[in-house]
Amino acid sequence: MATIRIPTPLRAYTDGASDIDVTGETVGEALSNLVDRHPDLRAHLFQDDELRSFVNIFIGDEDIRFMQGLETEIDAEDSLRIIPSIAGGRR
Amino acid sequence: MNVSLSCDLQREIFDQMEASYPNEGGGFLLGNAQDGIVSVQDIMQVENTFAEEEQYHRYAMTPQDWMRLEDEADERGLSLIGYYHSHPDSLAIPSEYDREHALPNFVYVITSVMMAKATEMLVWRLRPDRSAFDGGTLSIT
């Protein structure tokens, strides 16, 4: 079963768990499985069914944006990681 | 939300923000949070990676920065509890851009830097419905 590592500020929505086992054959299916079980995560990961622009998904050191995005296939040994892009500015 | 920050760490942030002027600077806050009390125990300065010509009003870190520093915080038994950045020649109030990129359960420390001098530090937290930030109380110890 693949795992997804949850960034610290979102662990409040996974009962404090940092690593969650997920089912699915693609990154998108794995994320759907994650938010189905932890629904409060959805608003912070997705906007209109698309990943929010500041939400990055890595498989190991690889950003899925440079792979096949949410269609990227995964296997049971894969470790996924949700990484927020931190950004800010005065206006 | 009440955020506790030592005078030394506040000075360190102010020095970094003033050195970054007229561009924005920033970094991570490490510590712990419990029952609405947030204790900042260390900071980690992080280079502004936004396009150089936009750094006067934008700040960004890379995902690799997050991975590296989250792992380092975990190894030290601390948590990433928030991030700080500056608003050069502007108020220490979150912008719409800040809100769009914000995370819940994270402390946002904004420092206003006027004419190269850090003048005000305010703390904020995103509402769970992402609609706005709420201000918190900053205690300098």
Side-chain angles (χ1 to χ4, degrees):
Chain A
M1 194 172 279
T3 62
I4 299 183
R5 188 164 176 78
I6 308 298
T8 310
L10 298 184
R11 292 174 191 170
Y13 305 124
T14 58
D15 301 320
S18 58
D19 296 278
I20 307 288
D21 292 334
V22 290
T23 60
E25 296 183 354
T26 65
V27 172
E29 290 176 4
L31 289 173
S32 292
N33 181 247
L34 175 69
V35 299
D36 284 348
R37 291 158 54 200
H38 301 284
D40 290 339
L41 280 173
R42 184 181 297 277
H44 304 292
L45 299 181
F46 292 97
Q47 186 171 31
D48 301 329
D49 292 331
E50 297 286 335
L51 274 181
R52 288 187 176 275
S53 60
F54 65 88
V55 174
N56 307 284
I57 309 294
F58 279 71
I59 302 174
D61 294 330
E62 297 290 326
D63 187 337
I64 65 161
R65 286 196 176 88
F66 302 107
M67 302 169 79
Q68 284 77 49
L70 293 176
E71 301 303 317
T72 304
E73 293 185 0
I74 58 173
D75 60 40
E77 287 75 39
D78 278 331
S79 296
L80 285 66
R81 190 162 178 172
I82 300 170
I83 304 291
S85 287
I86 288 290
R90 66 185 186 188
R91 59 180 163 78
Chain B
M1 174 186 62
N2 189 309
V3 179
S4 171
L5 177 71
S6 74
C7 187
D8 286 346
L9 287 178
Q10 185 187 48
R11 186 65 257 167
E12 194 174 329
I13 292 173
F14 280 174
D15 287 347
Q16 180 194 352
M17 302 298 94
E18 291 172 357
S20 300
Y21 184 90
N23 291 335
E24 297 199 1
F28 277 120
L29 306 169
L30 275 64
N32 51 58
Q34 194 165 20
D35 301 328
I37 309 290
V38 178
S39 175
V40 180
Q41 296 179 12
D42 202 358
I43 64 169
M44 289 176 168
Q45 300 184 15
V46 181
E47 181 184 358
N48 187 352
T49 60
F50 218 96
E52 193 167 345
E53 64 273 20
E54 300 289 338
Q55 288 185 8
Y56 72 95
H57 74 143
R58 287 287 181 267
Y59 175 82
M61 304 177 192
T62 66
Q64 287 75 17
D65 288 327
W66 179 288
M67 277 195 270
R68 177 173 54 84
L69 296 174
E70 187 172 56
D71 289 345
E72 187 174 326
D74 286 345
E75 287 169 9
R76 293 173 60 186
L78 298 172
S79 295
L80 291 186
I81 54 171
Y83 115 96
Y84 63 93
H85 72 290
S86 58
H87 282 181
D89 296 321
S90 188
L91 300 174
I93 295 173
S95 65
E96 179 63 9
Y97 187 84
D98 288 326
R99 189 189 64 79
E100 289 172 355
H101 292 78
L103 292 160
N105 311 305
F106 222 40
V107 175
Y108 288 80
V109 171
I110 302 178
T111 299
S112 175
V113 183
M114 299 291 189
M115 302 294 288
K117 181 73 178 170
T119 57
E120 185 177 41
M121 174 181 278
L122 297 176
V123 297
W124 305 89
R125 176 168 274 179
L126 184 70
R127 291 180 186 172
D129 66 3
R130 309 189 59 85
S131 62
F133 281 92
D134 291 314
T137 302
L138 176 63
S139 301
I140 302 301
T141 59

